[in-house]
Each structure stands twice: as structure tokens, then as C-alpha cells.
Amino acid sequence: MTITKPPQLSFSAASSPLCSLKGSLLTVAVLTFLSLFYLSLNSLRTPPPSPIVLESTIHVPQTKDEDYSDVYHSPDSFRLNYAEMERKLKIYIYPDGDPNTFFQTPRKVTGKYASEGYFFKNIRESHFRTLDPEEADLFFVPVSPHKMRGNGTSYEEMTVIVRDYVDGLIAKYPYWNRTLGADHFFVTCHDVGVRAFEGSPVMIKNTIRVVCSPSYNVGFIPHKDVALPQVLQPFALPAGGNDVENRTTLGFWAGHRNSKIRVILARVWENDTELDISNNRINRATGHLVYQKRFYRTKFCICPGGSQVNSARITDSIHYGCVPVILSDYYDLPFSDILDWRKFAVVLRERDVYDLKQILKNITQSEFVSLHNNLVKVQKHFQWNTPPVKFDAFHMIMYELWLRHHVIKY
């Protein structure tokens, strides 16, 4: 009997491609593993590549006349924040109050207290003003103690007028109660203005006070309040600067002895041959604009505090290109959180008055030239214009307010 074998299937031909594919995949896997292993070992022997630094996507155009030099504490921050402030800041002016009395409009825009008048005028000329209180970042309380003083209003009457006006705003509008007045501010240059608001304690405690007499030993709070530069405008003569070769007098001061530091300054130095110190104001009979012309000839102009810590002599010195020497304790200098005053001024303590001449003589010519050149760069910040122009005193005050509004939470 013949046994028939079942047919044998041959897999050799069919499995050949499959084996070839498996071998290829195995080979690729082995090579990949070896490559990764080699790279890992190599990374241990070589330092990591330098990180790629991406440039900021914020672009702020900068014109040739904008010099963001080291007179600023942080030039880049100032440039970027200032541009943002120009785009976004909005101020609402309360419309209440008769402009013919003590509200809305300034007394004048000349004289020692012109800064108050210019602000009242500039805020209405600027694009920062909004007529919609709902979009406002800050609220301006437009009462002018300087107008009250010009009208002969007594101090007691001022406090009542201010108190009643502020109480009326609080009762009429909802905006004060959102922050208890922390996003409100008032502006006054005469020192009587600060006293006029004492009848409304919430204005002193809560609001931003923009004042010319920022003495932080009598209630001024630097991180809340703003130092307003006292500017005597219009200036009698053009701005000085880039004229160091003409400045042959070491130091100059002339004025009333209406403070202790001024009395000491005059007593110690009025007979000195290198310091031009006058015991009183220069008599106009001696010649036309003699006082102002001395600023042009002097390296360092002495600026002692008077009845208050501030003095218009500081901005006079800056305008005429004479390096100011600050002799006033407790003075929170204008824009001091933006500008580095030691780059364009000499800031001393009042007790340094006895060593004044030696301190000034120890400043080398190259150091003086640097101070003078930096002084020219900041002149634009201490001048008022109408309408206001970029970087002038008005815009610097706006920037100070912009910085402070960021800490206010609704």
C-alpha cells in the first residue's frame, strides 16, 4: 500500500522579504541607539550652546533729540514707560466750581508760583484729559489756593472753602469712594496751598499731593506725593549751556536771609574772594538784569532753602547753565525717582555749608564739565510751555502721576 505524503509547503520563498524587513528595522534601531549614546557621551564633554536672546517686540521710535543718557536712573525703563504713558493715561477734571472764583482756572501763569498756573492751563490743552470719568485713570480736584491768596482770603476761610468743595464732590460722584481718594490729586505751588487742604484730612492722607514744597519731615510722602518744580517764568534771559569757558566765578548766591541756612551762608562766606555771596538781593539800580547775568559767569550756584525747602533759584540755575548746589535738608527734589540729581547737581547737607568752598574746589574741571553737560540735557524737564511739549515740566508731572496710578487697586 502506498502511503501518500501530504504536500509540503515551502516557506522559503515567501518568508524571504519578511526576514529582510525585520533585519533592516533591527539594523536601524541599533544604529539609532548607538548614535544617541554617542551624542549623550559627547554632551558631557562639551559646554551647552549659548541661549538665543530674543529682542523685545516692543518698538518705541526714538528721535535724534531724545537723549536717554545716564542722567536717568533707568533710561530704558523711562523711555518705554513714558511712551506707554503718552498712549494710555487719562485724567478727568471735576467740572464743579465757578471759574470766576477759586476753581478750574489759574490765577496767573507768571511769577514764582507759575507752575500751578501752567498745570491748570496745560491739563486742558493736553490729550491726557478725558470728558468720560469712566475711562479715567486719575481725577483732578481743580481748586486753586493761589487764587484764594490773591483774593485776600484768610487761611481759615481757605480751609472751609476747600473742605466744603471736596465734601461736595464726594457726595455727588461715586469715584472717590472706589479708592477713598487714592486716585485723586490736587496741585498747588504756594505753601499756603498745603495748609488750605488741612481742613480736609482725607485730602492730605489719601490723595496725591502735587506741591512745590515737598518737605518729607512735615508730612510729604515721596512714594505717594509728587514734587512740583518751582519755576519762575518767563525767564528773563535765554538758556545757558555749553559755555564752560565763560564760567570763571566759583560760586554765587544773592537773596533774602529768610531761613537759618541762608543766615549762616551769608555770615560765613559774604566776604570771601572766590565765592560771590551777597547778603541781600542785588539792587536793580546796579544795572539791567545783573542778577540773572551772574548765573552765566558762575560754575556753581548756591541754592539754600528759604521759608520752605524749595526755591525757584534751583530752576533758574538749571535754565542758565549754572550747576545748582542744593543746601536744603528734607527736600524731596523734583523728579528724583526719574533723574539722578548727582549727575547734574551738587547735593549737600545744610551742615556742609561751613566747608562749602573746599567742597566746590575739590570738584575737578572734568567733573564740572560733566555736570554742566548733563545739566543742559535736563533743562527741557524744568520748563513750562503752552501748549505743553514732549518731556517738558508738565509731561514729567504726568509721568510721575502715571507711575503712582499703577499702585492703586479698585
Side-chain angles (χ1 to χ4, degrees):
M1 179 177 169
T2 304
I3 298 175
T4 305
K5 294 181 179 180
Q8 299 291 321
L9 295 178
S10 174
F11 291 94
S12 59
S15 62
S16 178
L18 182 60
C19 293
S20 177
L21 178 61
K22 288 182 177 179
S24 298
L25 292 174
L26 180 61
T27 301
V28 170
V30 171
L31 291 174
T32 302
F33 173 77
L34 292 174
S35 298
L36 292 174
F37 182 70
Y38 171 78
L39 291 174
S40 298
L41 290 176
N42 190 53
S43 67
L44 296 175
R45 296 192 299 267
T46 58
S50 300
I52 298 174
V53 179
L54 298 177
E55 293 185 359
S56 172
T57 57
I58 301 175
H59 174 67
V60 181
Q62 183 171 338
T63 58
K64 288 189 292 185
D65 61 342
E66 295 176 9
D67 181 10
Y68 296 100
S69 66
D70 61 358
V71 296
Y72 306 98
H73 291 299
S74 179
D76 289 338
S77 294
F78 174 66
R79 177 171 60 87
L80 294 173
N81 289 332
Y82 183 96
E84 185 181 16
M85 177 270 295
E86 285 272 22
R87 294 192 307 269
K88 296 182 178 180
L89 179 61
K90 293 299 178 185
I91 307 257
Y92 180 73
I93 306 173
Y94 281 111
D96 303 62
D98 183 0
N100 295 317
T101 56
F102 313 119
F103 310 99
Q104 303 297 337
T105 57
R107 177 184 173 189
K108 59 181 180 178
V109 291
T110 58
K112 290 193 299 181
Y113 309 110
S115 292
E116 179 180 318
Y118 268 105
F119 186 90
F120 272 74
K121 186 174 178 60
N122 284 174
I123 190 63
R124 287 169 171 78
E125 299 171 322
S126 75
H127 68 278
F128 298 112
R129 183 185 183 186
T130 178
L131 300 179
D132 181 4
E134 294 299 330
E135 71 171 9
D137 299 296
L138 295 167
F139 296 81
F140 177 39
V141 180
V143 55
S144 174
H146 191 210
K147 289 178 73 175
M148 296 183 199
R149 183 176 182 274
N151 195 51
T153 308
S154 70
Y155 164 66
E156 290 75 16
E157 290 176 302
M158 288 185 191
T159 60
V160 174
I161 291 170
V162 170
R163 182 196 63 204
D164 291 346
Y165 180 72
V166 172
D167 288 348
L169 298 181
I170 295 174
K172 182 177 180 180
Y173 298 95
Y175 309 111
W176 175 280
N177 289 328
R178 296 189 308 186
T179 64
L180 295 180
D183 56 357
H184 287 54
F185 70 94
F186 68 89
V187 176
T188 180
C189 192
H190 199 289
D191 56 285
V192 74
V194 177
R195 297 181 63 200
F197 280 89
E198 289 177 352
S200 180
V202 291
M203 289 292 289
I204 299 296
K205 179 182 178 181
N206 296 359
T207 65
I208 302 170
R209 297 187 295 166
V210 184
V211 298
C212 280
S213 52
S215 178
Y216 54 82
N217 70 327
V218 289
F220 183 85
I221 305 173
H223 69 270
K224 176 180 78 73
D225 302 328
V226 176
L228 180 68
Q230 185 178 4
V231 185
L232 178 58
Q233 282 191 228
F235 293 108
L237 294 170
N242 303 313
D243 52 3
V244 294
E245 66 281 355
N246 299 329
R247 299 181 179 276
T248 55
T249 302
L250 178 63
F252 165 62
W253 176 77
H256 290 314
R257 294 184 298 170
N258 59 347
S259 66
K260 181 180 178 180
I261 183 60
R262 291 188 178 194
V263 171
I264 296 173
L265 176 67
R267 187 181 72 237
V268 175
W269 298 111
E270 65 177 325
N271 296 319
D272 192 84
T273 57
E274 295 178 274
L275 294 177
D276 182 6
I277 305 297
S278 299
N279 199 10
N280 213 323
R281 288 190 174 184
I282 298 174
N283 193 324
R284 293 182 180 180
T286 60
H288 184 58
L289 300 177
V290 171
Y291 173 76
Q292 289 83 357
K293 289 176 182 177
R294 289 199 188 181
F295 284 88
Y296 286 138
R297 302 197 305 266
T298 307
K299 289 183 174 182
F300 301 100
C301 288
I302 319 303
C303 302
S307 57
Q308 299 293 323
V309 292
N310 56 296
S311 169
R313 185 175 284 99
I314 295 175
T315 50
D316 280 347
S317 302
I318 293 172
H319 175 76
Y320 294 119
C322 183
V323 175
V325 179
I326 312 299
L327 268 177
S328 184
D329 294 344
Y330 310 112
Y331 187 12
D332 190 67
L333 292 162
F335 318 136
S336 59
D337 48 358
I338 306 167
L339 301 175
D340 186 349
W341 275 78
R342 295 185 184 277
K343 296 293 180 64
F344 59 90
V346 179
V347 182
L348 303 177
R349 297 160 297 186
E350 290 183 3
R351 68 189 187 197
D352 293 327
V353 64
Y354 300 99
D355 303 312
L356 179 61
K357 184 168 77 169
Q358 193 57 49
I359 290 172
L360 298 182
K361 294 185 74 171
N362 286 343
I363 298 173
T364 66
Q365 180 65 13
S366 62
E367 290 171 336
F368 163 68
V369 171
S370 178
L371 289 168
H372 175 82
N373 291 340
N374 286 335
L375 187 69
V376 175
K377 295 176 184 177
V378 303
Q379 284 175 332
K380 59 189 174 186
H381 298 320
F382 295 89
Q383 180 171 328
W384 295 91
N385 302 280
T386 179
V389 300
K390 194 174 183 181
F391 295 115
D392 67 359
F394 172 74
H395 281 82
M396 294 295 281
I397 293 298
M398 288 291 100
Y399 184 75
E400 291 277 21
L401 291 169
W402 171 253
L403 293 179
R404 282 151 180 77
H405 106 278
H406 280 299
V407 303
I408 298 169
K409 305 295 183 184
Y410 290 144

